[in-house]
Amino acid sequence: MAKYKIAWMPGDGVGHDVMEAARLVLDSMHFDAEYIHADIGWEFWCHEGDPLPQRTIDLLRKTDCALFGAITSKPNEEAAQELAPELRTRELVYFSPIVKLRQLFNLHTNLRPCKAYPGNPLNLRDDIDLVVFRENTEGMYGGVEFHPIPRAVFDALCANPKMKRFESKGLDNLALSTRIMSRQGCESIVRGAFEYAKTHRRRSVTLVEKPNVLRETGGLMTRVARQVAADYPDIPLWEANIDAMCMWLVKKPHEYDILVAENMFGDIISDLAAGLVGGLGFASAANIGDDYAVFEPTHGSAPKYAGQHKVNPMAMLLTVKLMFDWLGEAEHAQRLEDGIAVVIREGKVGTYDVGMSNSTLEVAEEVARQVGAATAANA
Ligand code: IPM
Ligand code: MG
């Protein structure tokens, strides 16, 4: 029996291309795992009315973790139009399966390293090494939304007098998305960031929030962060507003280290951080819970490139590295990261985004050659 059972979820679009690349590299390392295909994505929305079928949830529960390619998400109206005709009368509403997975499996931490590997022509500078800790189950992504706003909800919200002035617009004309944050959620993500900083000997943790405007949610997060920081006297907590942080990360990215943020701010800041070190083609991510994790590159499904083997596999390969880390396979993780770093530094192969013309699989093969050689040398 293989050492690990890993759910294999290519999802949509280029998810298939990059997962093929991942498999090539995993096999070159003789990683002892069984990969079990799981259905997820747009196709299952269109034909079954559910982008995350129950059978997939059941399957995931029987595995150690999951590797995921990419997902296509579309706004409500477009999603409804693409449903199979026989499903259209059922009033189904599309939801993002990855957001649902994060909540269902309580994958509270989204870990997103953004590191400049020397030789990458797209690096803003070569000394950037950021790690974003994004709260992954609450905040603006909590999914508590209304349109129109039901009367009972409106009346309850009127406990805050600022709500009153919206009544004249008409409840049908109002849409509401909430930002619900718990003390537990704030504490867990901030502590995760500090623990990581401690074990990885990092210099600082920066809380990215907006407590001067989002006084209650931002305020709670800030208070909790200060309390948690007191347990780590050697690691300074810096506080920055999300808007200012977007500027500072472009101007002085090398001065920052670990960033911690609420779900949506983390979503935004992690794309920005990725842009400093080559873009989404290099951005890996790990959705981590207490006993399960789903690993996915930050990039989307890029439908126009689907099946063309054009996109950069590095984000996916760095994601596999995060999976090795989480599984406790430190040697594999190091070997893979070293191999990736060599391929980037040598710059002999690269996909279109780095100004070259190799395919997804050619780049993956070059990484596989590097790690394969290292694997053979160690055998
Ligand atoms: C990400 C993506 C997702 C998100 C989308 C695909 C729902 O942008 O993982 O950052 O917003 O979380
Ligand atoms: Mg995003």
Side-chain angles (χ1 to χ4, degrees):
M1 215 175 75
K3 187 168 176 192
Y4 298 111
K5 268 197 172 126
I6 295 175
W8 193 259
M9 302 192 289
D12 298 314
V14 300
H16 292 268
D17 305 31
V18 296
M19 290 287 275
E20 214 179 316
R23 188 56 188 271
L24 217 148
V25 171
L26 282 161
D27 288 350
S28 78
M29 298 183 83
H30 306 295
F31 187 57
D32 189 7
E34 180 191 352
Y35 305 103
I36 310 167
H37 179 92
D39 295 337
I40 188 168
W42 196 249
E43 181 188 339
F44 303 96
W45 162 253
C46 297
H47 298 119
E48 301 176 25
D50 188 351
L52 179 63
Q54 183 60 39
R55 61 182 178 279
T56 294
I57 296 167
D58 296 341
L59 190 153
L60 261 53
R61 293 200 200 283
K62 293 189 200 123
T63 57
D64 294 293
C65 63
L67 202 59
F68 180 39
I71 210 75
T72 297
S73 283
K74 301 189 188 178
N76 283 353
E77 286 79 14
E78 280 168 67
Q81 277 161 14
E82 291 190 35
L83 266 183
E86 66 275 16
L87 295 171
R88 289 198 194 145
T89 50
R90 304 226 318 243
E91 294 194 6
L92 299 164
V93 180
Y94 181 80
F95 59 87
S96 161
I98 183 64
V99 173
K100 182 155 178 197
L101 269 184
R102 291 168 182 165
Q103 292 176 352
L104 202 63
F105 285 80
N106 191 24
L107 307 174
H108 44 71
T109 300
N110 198 328
L111 173 72
R112 297 185 152 178
C114 295
K115 178 166 164 181
Y117 289 95
N120 182 348
L122 303 176
N123 289 342
L124 190 74
R125 319 171 36 118
D126 279 349
D127 56 357
I128 302 170
D129 189 1
L130 301 160
V131 182
V132 177
F133 275 73
R134 165 185 178 187
E135 201 293 319
N136 216 22
T137 55
E138 307 188 341
M140 286 293 281
Y141 278 65
V144 182
E145 299 193 283
F146 300 95
H147 174 66
I149 304 189
R151 170 51 68 182
V153 173
F154 185 88
D155 289 344
L157 287 170
C158 284
N160 184 322
K162 291 207 179 97
M163 195 64 203
K164 226 32 206 153
R165 71 193 167 88
F166 287 105
E167 193 164 22
S168 62
K169 313 271 183 206
L171 299 196
D172 281 353
N173 295 323
L174 294 178
L176 172 68
S177 299
T178 61
R179 188 186 205 237
I180 305 178
M181 287 157 71
S182 70
R183 174 177 296 280
Q184 292 87 337
C186 294
E187 162 141 21
S188 151
I189 195 68
V190 175
R191 198 166 287 286
F194 271 98
E195 277 300 312
Y196 183 97
K198 187 170 144 188
T199 45
H200 293 80
R201 300 175 180 282
R202 307 292 293 228
R203 289 169 296 155
S204 66
V205 173
T206 303
L207 172 65
V208 185
E209 248 304 328
K210 187 84 185 178
N212 55 340
V213 176
L214 302 173
R215 308 189 82 83
E216 300 309 333
T217 46
L220 176 68
M221 179 69 128
T222 303
R223 283 193 304 279
V224 169
R226 289 176 189 169
Q227 278 160 10
V228 171
D231 295 339
Y232 303 86
D234 299 334
I235 307 165
L237 171 70
W238 297 345
E239 295 172 20
N241 285 336
I242 173 82
D243 51 345
M245 196 61 190
C246 289
M247 180 193 66
W248 286 119
L249 275 185
V250 172
K251 279 173 87 94
K252 296 188 169 183
H254 51 292
E255 295 196 351
Y256 294 92
D257 198 329
I258 311 294
L259 311 178
V260 60
E262 171 269 349
N263 211 335
M264 182 148 203
F265 286 170
D267 181 45
I268 294 168
I269 213 80
S270 59
D271 269 24
L272 196 150
L276 306 170
V277 296
L280 293 177
F282 293 88
S284 57
N287 301 279
I288 300 176
D290 290 340
D291 43 30
Y292 197 73
V294 176
F295 300 89
E296 49 152 359
T298 304
H299 63 67
S301 64
K304 69 175 177 185
Y305 292 135
Q308 295 180 30
H309 294 105
K310 262 193 88 124
V311 299
N312 196 336
M314 289 305 191
M316 184 79 227
L317 301 180
L318 288 164
T319 298
V320 171
K321 184 249 178 211
L322 292 178
M323 180 179 83
F324 287 152
D325 283 335
W326 185 78
L327 288 170
E329 298 287 348
E331 216 181 290
H332 274 79
Q334 191 63 54
R335 200 175 306 162
L336 177 53
E337 188 179 23
D338 290 348
I340 290 169
V342 169
V343 172
I344 295 175
R345 193 175 61 233
E346 290 183 343
K348 288 193 291 212
V349 293
T351 41
Y352 78 96
D353 52 320
V354 292
M356 299 178 81
S357 55
N358 294 102
S359 72
T360 308
L361 295 182
E362 281 165 352
V363 173
E365 270 159 16
E366 189 58 31
V367 174
R369 237 190 308 280
Q370 288 294 337
V371 296
T375 306
N378 268 27

